[in-house]
Amino acid sequence: MMSTLSVKMVESFSLFRTFATFPSSQRGVPNYGLVPFLHQNRGSRVSFSKMTWSLEKCRTRVDNSLQAICPASEAFAQAAVEALKAGKVIAVPTDTLYGLACDACSLEAVNRIYEIKGRKLTSPLAICVGDVADITRFAVIDHLPPGLLDSLLPGPVTVVLKRGESSTLEKSLNPGLDSVGVRVPDYDFIRLISRKSKTALALTSANLSGQPSSVCINDFESIWPHCAYVYDGGVLPAGRAGSTIIDLTKKGTFKIIRAGSAKDLTVATLERYSLLEEAAN
């Protein structure tokens, strides 16, 4: 539990702005002072003109429900870790969209995400880890050219890999599939809680299935009551395309599963490592 920086329930935007004392220089952390919600990720450029509509739409409206809304800053990371260890679901910003996250090794928590989203159990969930080096605990990468994953990640890319016999992932996650999508978002807060949790996080977009993806917390306001915490990183600048999903399960080839927000750069990187794109079926 947090001591001097305990998470307080907030009932209005004016009270929420009292968190302005927390550092805003960290990438992914909004400035709650003169420039609310503004942040940049690697390679991103955000202008006020592009954010005008989002700022108007996404002003924080906090209801009287029991969940806490907190800044996505290091000061609040431990509360997120404790919630994850307790099998709870949290909402977090990434370098693309807001997501719902839980302990990937907790069957109860994973099922809770499916319930919240109204998602079919046959639709697989990706996992998130804190660093590229962690991927070997959960998936097979021996067939990939050295340095490839470090060139792709952290970033807005989901790499689909074979789980392999040595994977520490619970069999209950995406049962029947021998592959798993892996993310290392270019966003400090989610990487921090992934490291502190010492496990993989199941990660999916914070929206009801079939509904538009979320770039600010008010986009998924109906889901707030189902989350232990909602972590606010402001308006995310990457748009609603989500991550680029690439199948890397076969040696020497790749397959685009979803174009996402970084297709061109991802393909260029893969080709630089001499991988060939599989022909469409």
Side-chain angles (χ1 to χ4, degrees):
M1 296 298 291
M2 303 180 66
S3 55
T4 59
L5 291 172
S6 60
V7 179
K8 298 179 180 180
M9 299 305 300
V10 289
E11 297 180 344
S12 68
F13 181 65
S14 60
L15 180 57
F16 188 52
R17 287 170 65 96
T18 61
F19 292 121
T21 55
F22 294 104
S24 60
S25 58
Q26 178 184 356
R27 182 175 64 251
V29 180
N31 183 327
Y32 290 96
L34 296 177
V35 191
F37 303 133
L38 179 60
H39 72 277
Q40 293 184 344
N41 289 309
R42 184 177 66 185
S44 299
R45 294 294 183 270
V46 185
S47 67
F48 288 105
S49 60
K50 291 181 179 179
M51 293 176 61
T52 301
W53 69 271
S54 296
L55 289 172
E56 181 62 29
K57 177 182 178 183
C58 297
R59 291 201 187 281
T60 305
R61 303 185 304 273
V62 183
D63 60 14
N64 292 320
S65 55
L66 296 179
Q67 84 291 341
I69 300 178
C70 312
S73 69
E74 183 177 357
F76 292 88
Q78 189 57 39
V81 172
E82 292 172 3
L84 293 167
K85 289 182 177 179
K88 306 296 184 181
V89 174
I90 63 174
V92 290
T94 73
D95 54 353
T96 53
L97 305 168
Y98 276 85
L100 299 178
C102 72
D103 182 348
C105 294
S106 169
L107 178 59
E108 180 180 356
V110 168
N111 286 339
R112 182 63 178 147
I113 280 185
Y114 279 100
E115 292 172 1
I116 292 171
K117 286 179 62 74
R119 185 184 177 104
K120 294 181 179 179
L121 292 174
T122 53
S123 299
L125 296 178
I127 64 169
C128 167
V129 295
D131 296 285
V132 174
D134 297 327
I135 296 176
T136 57
R137 296 167 51 199
F138 307 104
V140 177
I141 65 170
D142 296 345
H143 62 296
L144 298 178
L148 173 61
L149 291 180
D150 290 298
S151 295
L152 293 171
L153 303 168
V157 181
T158 300
V159 294
V160 178
L161 299 164
K162 294 284 188 181
R163 292 165 72 134
E165 294 299 324
S166 61
S167 173
T168 60
L169 280 178
E170 291 288 332
K171 302 297 183 183
S172 58
L173 181 73
N174 306 333
L177 293 181
D178 63 355
S179 62
V180 64
V182 183
R183 287 221 61 199
V184 184
D186 187 19
Y187 201 102
D188 289 349
F189 183 72
I190 190 170
R191 293 182 65 193
L192 178 61
I193 62 176
S194 296
R195 293 187 193 108
K196 286 178 172 289
S197 299
K198 302 184 185 303
T199 186
L201 306 183
L203 183 66
T204 185
S205 57
N207 60 295
L208 299 177
S209 288
Q211 297 299 309
S213 301
S214 301
V215 296
C216 70
I217 63 170
N218 283 337
D219 281 345
F220 59 97
E221 194 169 352
S222 63
I223 295 178
W224 291 0
H226 303 289
C227 302
Y229 298 103
V230 175
Y231 289 94
D232 188 358
V235 181
L236 305 181
R240 300 182 190 271
S243 65
T244 296
I245 304 178
I246 188 82
D247 187 335
L248 295 178
T249 56
K250 297 180 181 178
K251 183 176 181 178
T253 66
F254 69 90
K255 183 178 181 181
I256 299 290
I257 297 177
R258 184 177 73 190
S261 60
K263 177 185 175 183
D264 291 344
L265 181 59
T266 300
V267 170
T269 300
L270 294 167
E271 291 178 344
R272 191 168 72 247
Y273 281 84
S274 302
L275 269 65
L276 301 175
E277 185 171 3
E278 289 186 34
N281 294 332

